[in-house]
Amino acid sequence: SGPKPGIWKVHPDGTGAQFLTSPAGIPEVSPDGAHVSFSTNASSMGVYVTTIRTEDGKPDDFRVDLPQGGFAISRFVIGRCRWMPDGRSIVMLTRDQKGFRIDDYPFTPGVHSLAKTALVPAFDPGVELETFGVSPDGKKITVAGVVKSRSLMVAERVPGVARPGR
């Protein structure tokens, strides 16, 4: 946020701020610290995930296009990504006609990746995956899902609120 939004590299003490790129979605630094992955809007129909080098912000020319399957995005971040612990692939929140899912894409700079492995298939159309985490050994994934519910509540005898006349 602020006057120049984007991805910045900053020392832990707040000094040495270096602007890397903009616009960008939520960044994720690779395990070796050499790359940053993030999603960005390609159009109203989809987003893509790409990477840059942390040294200078130059693109790695890695890209994965993520069509949205005809759904509205709302507050969920399609393209939210995490690096696998070995740094050889990037796991991404995607969506298809069956719902939200998590797919694993091999990371190779200079490659527009089409290959993927489904790690968490769309398992319940009533649950929208919001974010996720990968365990340090890469063997487990935890997901945060949102279930929409609608309800009506009645509050009685609230101080200072009078019942309307009939």
Side-chain angles (χ1 to χ4, degrees):
S1 64
K4 192 166 185 183
I7 297 176
W8 290 74
K9 178 170 66 170
V10 182
H11 295 194
D13 66 2
T15 63
Q18 178 186 351
F19 177 77
L20 296 177
T21 191
S22 180
I26 303 168
E28 183 77 14
V29 178
S30 64
D32 64 3
H35 310 276
V36 177
S37 61
F38 58 93
S39 63
T40 189
N41 288 332
S43 71
S44 61
M45 294 303 292
V47 299
Y48 65 90
V49 172
T50 190
T51 59
I52 59 172
R53 299 186 316 215
T54 54
E55 178 184 340
D56 55 14
K58 300 272 188 233
D60 288 324
D61 295 325
F62 170 84
R63 179 173 167 151
V64 175
D65 291 295
L66 301 171
Q68 297 308 297
F71 296 100
I73 290 180
S74 68
R75 65 180 237 210
F76 302 98
V77 183
I78 299 302
R80 175 66 167 116
C81 52
R82 305 279 190 198
W83 290 85
M84 289 301 280
D86 62 8
R88 295 181 10 202
S89 65
I90 303 173
V91 184
M92 301 174 199
L93 177 60
T94 65
R95 182 170 43 197
D96 63 16
Q97 294 80 3
K98 295 179 183 175
F100 289 89
R101 52 186 291 136
I102 297 174
D103 294 325
D104 186 27
Y105 292 83
F107 172 65
T108 305
V111 172
H112 286 219
S113 183
L114 298 175
K116 68 180 174 187
T117 302
L119 295 182
V120 179
F123 58 91
D124 184 344
V127 176
E128 296 177 336
L129 299 183
E130 185 174 21
T131 191
F132 64 97
V134 178
S135 66
D137 64 5
K139 293 182 180 179
K140 296 180 182 177
I141 293 178
T142 51
V143 297
V146 175
V147 178
K148 294 180 181 176
S149 70
R150 292 173 172 81
S151 60
L152 177 64
M153 299 175 77
V154 176
E156 296 179 324
R157 295 182 288 281
V158 177
V161 177
R163 181 180 194 139
R166 292 188 179 217

